[in-house]
Amino acid sequence: MSIKRIEADVDDRARDSACYFCNEMFEMGKLQNHLKQCGSILEQCPLRCGAWIQRKHKDTHVKDCPQMVRNREAVSPSHVRASDPVPPHEGTPTVHTWTPHSIPLEDCVSYLEKEITSIKLILTEESSHRDVQSTEIDNLRSKLVLVEERAQHFLSTLVSLRAAVDDEAERSANWAAQFKHDLANVQLALQELQSQQMNTAMRLESVVNSLVHEQRERELLEQAMTDHDNRIRSIKALEEAVNYLKQTIEEERQRNEENQIGLMGEMVGGRLAIDRLAVLEVASADARAEASEQTAKMDLVSRDLRALTKSYHKLRNELIDFQSKVSLDNPELGGDNGHLIWRIDNFQARMKEAKEKDSVLTSPLFRTSKYGYTLKAELNLNGIGKWKGRHLTCTLRLVAGPYDQLLDWPCDLTINIVLKDQPANRSQATDVVKTLDLRRKSSSKRHDYDISGDDKTRSTESLDLNVIQMKKQYIFIPHTSLDKFEYIKNDIMFLEFIVNQ
């Protein structure tokens, strides 16, 4: 059913109302007048017999009412009511006189009393009937007002419902259009995502191939380095042998000279000494020839050693470049966002090695940004200088990067170095944070740190300049602090480097 039809039915019902007693339809203004005359309204018997009769059957009931029969029987049969006076004929003069001899006075008085009693009873019944009608009318009026209020509320509810339905229909249409638009966008995004996934898969495949190729090259370089180290050890052994031969030849030459001096003294003594001298000269000549041959061999070995050294340095540089490339391309080893978390495994073994051999740990390379400065960290677990054996020292170095020609120089960086605590609840961690200022004048400088002019002119009469420079280049963490919290857990330590840009 449409909204307009519902509103039309409601308007018709609001204009016409049914009578609660006879169910006839009347307009709102005529219903109250009808209620005053409706014959179907129930009224109590005026003679108080206890019955309720419709208004249109009231007169019939009064004639047959049991109360009326009892009233008639209560009247004595000797007191017969005089017959009603006959109306006078036309033209006969009416005499308005009362003759006491016609009707006894007592009968008249009793009759009048009965009539007055019946009149009072009728008036009482009429009054009670009017009260009942007034009460019913008031109830009907209150019900009518309530019905009107409900009708108005129903109309307002219908209007609001219609507006809500219209709004909901419009919103549904908008949602449908928006859903279609979003669905089209999702389909486009899905197509783009699929294309990106294909491109990513192709890139991953190419990266995997390149990594495999680089791994092979790295293995070849390591093998070449191993062969080169073996050659260097062989060359060193050969050098030791040549030096031993030189020393032996020199000792033999000295002995020959001594023997020649002795033989020169013995030549006077006889022919035997001359023969011996000749033999010694031949031996000396052979020794000289052998020494010349060994010298020529030494020259060849020296040339080979220089060539091998040059090749070694070339391979070492290639290996360093390869390591730096792998370190920057592998997210687990380095990064290009100015942030590095360095995991140091086997801490106890590395500390022992640092105490025995003064070894230095070097972190993977990382950059301050994608095309920024290239950095590496150096860690001395056993300390350096006067802090050796008591502190952990760490520093950062600027190394040559592929984009140094495009960067600003001098370079001033501030780096936060964080020794990470490793509790079970990360919110209770107590990290050690140190700040290091790193300065480098140009990409061609050999040193990673340069003292500013103000520091050079500062008075250092009572302080060692090397100590001051080391304090600027390194951060120091006492060994006693490592045992206070869980900085070393499962033989693992973490150092975090954050470049403040």
Side-chain angles (χ1 to χ4, degrees):
M1 186 180 292
S2 64
I3 299 298
K4 293 183 179 180
R5 186 174 180 181
I6 292 173
E7 291 180 352
D9 293 340
V10 171
D11 293 338
D12 293 338
R13 293 176 182 177
R15 288 193 297 268
D16 297 338
S17 299
C19 178
Y20 291 100
F21 301 98
C22 62
N23 293 327
E24 293 184 9
M25 301 298 294
F26 296 94
E27 295 182 357
M28 185 61 67
K30 297 180 180 180
L31 179 61
Q32 295 180 358
N33 296 330
H34 168 72
L35 292 175
K36 296 177 182 180
Q37 302 174 359
C38 182
S40 298
I41 295 176
L42 296 176
E43 294 182 351
Q44 192 175 9
C45 177
L47 298 180
R48 297 293 182 177
C49 69
W52 290 81
I53 311 95
Q54 290 183 349
R55 184 181 292 172
K56 59 185 177 182
H57 301 304
K58 181 179 178 182
D59 295 337
T60 305
H61 173 74
V62 171
K63 292 179 182 180
D64 300 331
C65 181
Q67 189 67 27
M68 181 62 73
V69 175
R70 284 195 296 270
N71 290 335
R72 289 175 183 175
E73 292 177 353
V75 178
S76 176
S78 61
H79 296 86
V80 180
R81 181 179 176 182
S83 61
D84 294 334
V86 179
H89 297 283
E90 292 183 3
T92 304
T94 304
V95 179
H96 299 283
T97 59
W98 175 71
T99 60
H101 299 286
S102 62
I103 299 173
L105 180 60
E106 293 178 359
D107 294 338
C108 292
V109 171
S110 61
Y111 175 76
L112 289 175
E113 287 177 353
K114 291 179 181 180
E115 291 293 332
I116 290 171
T117 301
S118 62
I119 290 171
K120 287 181 178 180
L121 182 60
I122 292 171
L123 290 175
T124 302
E125 295 293 337
E126 186 67 24
S127 176
S128 63
H129 180 63
R130 287 182 180 178
D131 293 338
V132 171
Q133 287 183 347
S134 177
T135 304
E136 291 178 352
I137 289 172
D138 292 337
N139 293 333
L140 290 174
R141 286 178 180 174
S142 61
K143 291 181 179 179
L144 183 60
V145 172
L146 181 60
V147 169
E148 289 179 353
E149 291 178 353
R150 290 182 178 178
Q152 293 294 331
H153 178 68
F154 182 68
L155 288 175
S156 61
T157 304
L158 284 178
V159 172
S160 61
L161 180 61
R162 181 178 181 181
V165 169
D166 293 338
D167 294 339
E168 188 66 25
E170 184 178 0
R171 193 179 297 109
S172 300
N174 295 332
W175 283 351
Q178 184 65 30
F179 178 75
K180 291 181 180 178
H181 180 68
D182 294 340
L183 182 61
N185 293 334
V186 168
Q187 291 177 351
L188 292 176
L190 183 60
Q191 293 177 359
E192 293 179 357
L193 181 61
Q194 291 176 352
S195 62
Q196 290 178 1
Q197 287 179 350
M198 293 179 63
N199 294 331
T200 304
M202 295 176 65
R203 290 179 181 177
L204 286 175
E205 186 177 0
S206 62
V207 168
V208 169
N209 294 330
S210 63
L211 286 176
V212 171
H213 181 67
E214 290 176 355
Q215 184 67 25
R216 291 176 181 175
E217 290 183 353
R218 183 176 181 178
E219 293 176 355
L220 293 175
L221 287 174
E222 290 177 353
Q223 184 66 32
M225 290 291 295
T226 304
D227 297 339
H228 184 67
D229 293 337
N230 294 330
R231 290 179 183 178
I232 289 175
R233 285 193 291 269
S234 300
I235 291 170
K236 288 182 179 179
L238 184 61
E239 287 180 349
E240 292 176 357
V242 170
N243 292 330
Y244 176 75
L245 288 174
K246 284 183 178 180
Q247 185 177 0
T248 304
I249 292 170
E250 186 67 26
E251 291 176 356
E252 187 68 25
R253 185 181 297 171
Q254 291 178 359
R255 263 195 241 93
N256 290 333
E257 289 178 356
E258 291 177 358
N259 291 330
Q260 285 179 0
I261 294 173
L263 288 173
M264 290 297 293
E266 292 178 358
M267 286 179 62
V268 181
R271 182 69 179 174
L272 183 60
I274 295 173
D275 294 337
R276 187 178 179 183
L277 180 61
V279 171
L280 289 175
E281 288 179 353
V282 171
S284 298
D286 294 337
R288 290 192 190 94
E290 186 177 359
S292 299
E293 185 178 357
Q294 293 294 333
T295 302
K297 290 182 179 180
M298 281 295 300
D299 293 335
L300 293 174
V301 169
S302 299
R303 286 197 298 271
D304 294 338
L305 180 62
R306 286 194 295 270
L308 287 174
T309 303
K310 185 176 180 180
S311 175
Y312 170 76
H313 288 298
K314 182 178 179 180
L315 290 174
R316 186 176 182 83
N317 292 330
E318 291 178 355
L319 180 60
I320 291 173
D321 294 338
F322 175 76
Q323 288 177 347
S324 64
K325 182 178 180 181
V326 172
S327 299
L328 290 172
D329 290 340
N330 191 349
E332 296 180 355
L333 300 178
D336 56 1
N337 58 353
H339 186 201
L340 172 67
I341 297 181
W342 184 15
R343 172 177 169 145
I344 302 172
D345 297 320
N346 302 322
F347 178 81
Q348 298 298 332
R350 291 175 182 269
M351 175 63 79
K352 182 179 179 181
E353 184 179 359
K355 291 179 179 180
E356 294 175 355
K357 301 180 181 180
D358 291 334
S359 61
V360 180
L361 301 181
T362 303
S363 74
L365 300 179
F366 67 101
R367 296 196 187 104
T368 57
S369 60
K370 187 173 182 179
Y371 306 105
Y373 304 98
T374 305
L375 303 173
K376 69 175 180 179
E378 293 182 358
L379 178 63
N380 300 83
L381 294 178
N382 197 37
I384 58 175
K386 68 175 185 177
W387 296 276
K388 188 173 183 179
R390 296 183 295 111
H391 287 73
L392 179 151
T393 59
C394 183
T395 186
L396 278 167
R397 304 291 186 188
L398 274 168
V399 299
Y403 309 106
D404 288 347
Q405 291 83 355
L406 305 177
L407 301 176
D408 295 331
W409 302 95
C411 169
D412 290 301
L413 298 175
T414 302
I415 301 98
N416 290 335
I417 304 175
V418 183
L419 177 60
K420 306 293 288 184
D421 191 10
Q422 307 173 48
N425 187 359
R426 186 57 196 162
S427 61
Q428 299 177 355
T430 305
D431 299 336
V432 177
V433 181
K434 300 281 186 176
T435 302
L436 183 67
D437 293 329
L438 187 63
R439 177 178 174 81
R440 184 170 173 178
K441 289 185 177 180
S442 65
S443 61
S444 61
K445 297 290 289 184
R446 294 180 59 188
H447 299 289
D448 296 320
Y449 188 86
D450 298 319
I451 302 177
S452 62
D454 296 337
D455 294 334
K456 291 180 180 179
T457 58
R458 188 176 299 172
S459 176
T460 57
E461 295 179 357
S462 60
L463 297 175
D464 187 3
L465 184 61
N466 293 329
V467 174
I468 296 174
Q469 186 172 358
M470 287 175 65
K471 285 183 177 180
K472 293 179 180 179
Q473 296 183 36
Y474 290 86
I475 60 105
F476 305 90
I477 300 175
H479 287 168
T480 55
S481 300
L482 301 178
D483 300 329
K484 293 182 179 179
F485 298 97
E486 295 182 288
Y487 298 115
I488 312 298
K489 187 175 181 180
N490 298 328
D491 206 22
I492 298 173
M493 183 177 73
F494 289 95
L495 281 176
E496 184 178 12
F497 302 89
I498 304 172
V499 180
N500 297 325
Q501 299 179 356

